[in-house]
Amino acid sequence: MRPCPTFLLVLLRWVRLRMCARRWRYSNGNNSRLPLCVRQRWAYLKLMVNSLYYNSLTNSDVVMDSLMEPIFWMVDLLTRWFGAVFVCLVVILTSSILLIAYVGLLPLILNTYSPPWIVWHIGYGHWNLIMIVFHYYKATKTAPGYPPTVKNDIPFVSVCKKCIIPKPARTHHCGICNTCILKMDHHCPWLNNCVGHFNQRYFFCFCLSMTLGCVYCSISGRNLFLDAYSAIERFKHMDLDKSGVPVTGMGQLIGILPPGQSTYQTPPPPYTFRDKMFHKSIIYMWVLTSTVAVALGGLTIWHAVLISRGETSIERHINNKEAERMAKHGKVYKNPFNYGRLNNWKVFFGVEKRSHWLTRVLLPSGHAPYGNGLTWDICPIRKDMIPV
């Protein structure tokens, strides 16, 4: 009796399924013996390789980003590590200027200046110092704002490909902080913090206060710098043109000095070590403050222009590209977050009435900015704020 072909086919399929099941259990058993970190890295490596050719949208930009990713990663890592060093450098340099001002310049001001000028220098200098210290501390310690990581009904414009969470409008990912930042402007290594929705005002006020302080030191100390530089040059010439003839122990043998007469001693210099250090400190203070005033002043002006336009540093590049794209179609791009120059400054500083120009702009203030940084649909400007 010959076996039925249908029976043989079913038997063959059963044997094949049994073999596949045994192979699957064997492979899972081997993988389960590997450490979890090894399995995760192997899965991530396979995913990274597959992502290079996962669809037809891969272009030269994607390839270049993939090739440059190790360099970007190294730069972000170094910036994250050296952030604390940059903060310490700011504190040390600022403290050195304060030491010179209090130890060297303040006694000079009290002894030589008239009472009105003494009141001006002491009053303005301490106001500027308070503004610098307050805003720098708040800028470094205030979180810039992060989008929620749990499910919510907040509208979003995209999904972050690194955090895998919804990104609200004006939110961008920071590779150094390794998270998304609300209304991100940039990552500042001198703050060791991102500049975002909740600390952008502190950052700008610190830059403005530091620039004004450096300009004040540079202008008021210009004559002192010129006098100190001339004094240092004069000290150098005095060291070269000291009176007296240097005589060694062979002087008596060659007849320079008569026998029994002692060697001529060089007189001490007409200046002291304290005088020399004072003049060098003045030169150091003027050069440092002038350099910072130029560099930081340019950055402050740039951010003032961005605030007047109602955009951040990142949005500046995005808006330019969007404007060029719409211009090709004969359209004009309009920034939806631009409420007008004056209103942009009111929103930025949180000015709601006239007294706020004093309490929230000219004096240190820890008030929160408008909105929560998640939604930007409603303009925060009220009609009664326009005439302020």
Side-chain angles (χ1 to χ4, degrees):
M1 181 177 178
R2 299 179 62 183
C4 178
T6 305
F7 174 76
L8 293 177
L9 183 61
V10 172
L11 181 62
L12 182 61
R13 288 182 177 177
W14 181 81
V15 173
R16 185 177 298 175
L17 288 174
R18 292 283 296 178
M19 294 178 63
C20 292
R22 291 182 62 184
R23 292 176 182 175
W24 181 80
R25 288 196 299 267
Y26 179 76
S27 60
N28 282 351
N30 290 341
N31 288 338
S32 62
R33 294 190 184 96
L34 295 176
L36 179 61
C37 61
V38 176
R39 283 182 286 163
Q40 290 178 346
R41 293 183 181 277
W42 175 250
Y44 178 75
L45 180 61
K46 291 193 298 183
L47 180 62
M48 184 177 63
V49 173
N50 293 333
S51 65
L52 297 177
Y53 54 86
Y54 71 101
N55 59 19
S56 60
L57 298 179
T58 302
N59 52 23
S60 59
D61 294 337
V62 176
V63 175
M64 288 301 299
D65 290 343
S66 301
L67 295 178
M68 297 293 291
E69 187 65 24
I71 300 178
F72 296 152
W73 177 81
M74 182 61 66
V75 172
D76 293 344
L77 188 63
L78 292 177
T79 305
R80 189 183 303 121
W81 283 353
F82 283 96
V85 177
F86 290 145
V87 172
C88 293
L89 187 61
V90 172
V91 174
I92 292 173
L93 293 178
T94 306
S95 301
S96 65
I97 299 299
L98 291 177
L99 181 64
I100 296 173
Y102 278 103
V103 176
L105 297 182
L106 186 59
L108 181 64
I109 292 175
L110 296 177
N111 294 328
T112 58
Y113 284 30
S114 61
W117 279 110
I118 293 176
V119 173
W120 156 253
H121 284 293
I122 294 179
Y124 176 80
H126 285 85
W127 170 82
N128 206 336
L129 175 62
I130 292 173
M131 294 289 286
I132 291 173
V133 174
F134 173 81
H135 288 109
Y136 186 73
Y137 176 80
K138 296 291 288 186
T140 55
K141 293 299 182 180
T142 303
Y146 311 103
T149 57
V150 297
K151 186 177 180 180
N152 55 76
D153 298 330
I154 299 175
F156 60 94
V157 296
S158 63
V159 176
C160 180
K161 62 181 180 180
K162 295 185 179 181
C163 296
I164 318 298
I165 60 174
K167 288 200 306 182
R170 314 186 79 176
T171 300
H172 302 278
H173 185 86
C174 176
I176 300 175
C177 297
N178 198 24
T179 185
C180 288
I181 306 297
L182 299 177
K183 192 188 173 185
M184 179 179 175
D185 189 274
H186 69 286
H187 184 93
C188 181
W190 300 102
L191 301 178
N192 195 25
N193 195 8
C194 263
V195 178
H197 177 66
F198 291 100
N199 66 344
Q200 185 182 11
R201 180 176 65 87
Y202 298 129
F203 165 76
F204 177 78
C205 290
F206 163 72
C207 292
L208 181 61
S209 302
M210 182 64 80
T211 300
L212 292 177
C214 291
V215 171
Y216 163 73
C217 292
S218 179
I219 294 176
S220 61
R222 178 179 177 274
N223 294 331
L224 290 175
F225 165 75
L226 296 177
D227 294 340
Y229 185 81
S230 301
I232 292 297
E233 292 296 323
R234 186 170 61 254
F235 292 161
K236 291 181 180 179
H237 290 298
M238 289 181 180
D239 292 337
L240 295 177
D241 299 335
K242 289 179 180 178
S243 59
V245 180
V247 178
T248 63
M250 298 295 294
Q252 296 181 359
L253 297 179
I254 60 178
I256 295 179
L257 291 177
Q261 186 174 349
S262 61
T263 305
Y264 180 79
Q265 299 293 330
T266 303
Y271 58 88
T272 62
F273 176 77
R274 182 177 180 180
D275 296 334
K276 199 170 185 178
M277 290 303 299
F278 173 78
H279 293 301
K280 288 185 177 181
S281 300
I282 296 297
I283 295 175
Y284 162 78
M285 182 191 71
W286 191 87
V287 171
L288 179 60
T289 54
S290 300
T291 305
V292 174
V294 173
L296 193 59
L299 179 65
T300 305
I301 294 174
W302 167 248
H303 279 277
V305 173
L306 294 178
I307 295 171
S308 301
R309 296 174 177 175
E311 57 188 8
T312 62
S313 301
I314 298 177
E315 292 172 352
R316 176 63 176 171
H317 300 286
I318 297 176
N319 293 343
N320 286 341
K321 292 183 179 180
E322 189 67 15
E324 294 176 358
R325 186 185 67 84
M326 296 187 67
K328 295 179 181 178
H329 300 280
K331 300 180 181 180
V332 178
Y333 174 75
K334 183 179 180 181
N335 181 13
F337 311 112
N338 186 2
Y339 310 121
R341 293 183 180 178
L342 180 59
N343 289 331
N344 287 335
W345 283 101
K346 292 176 182 178
V347 172
F348 181 77
F349 284 120
V351 175
E352 298 178 354
K353 51 186 179 180
R354 286 185 175 89
S355 61
H356 285 170
W357 289 107
L358 173 64
T359 59
R360 293 188 173 185
V361 179
L362 297 180
L363 295 177
S365 176
H367 65 279
Y370 279 114
N372 54 8
L374 299 174
T375 57
W376 305 90
D377 297 334
I378 301 176
C379 175
I381 295 294
R382 300 194 309 267
K383 291 184 179 180
D384 58 349
M385 290 180 59
I386 301 300
V388 175

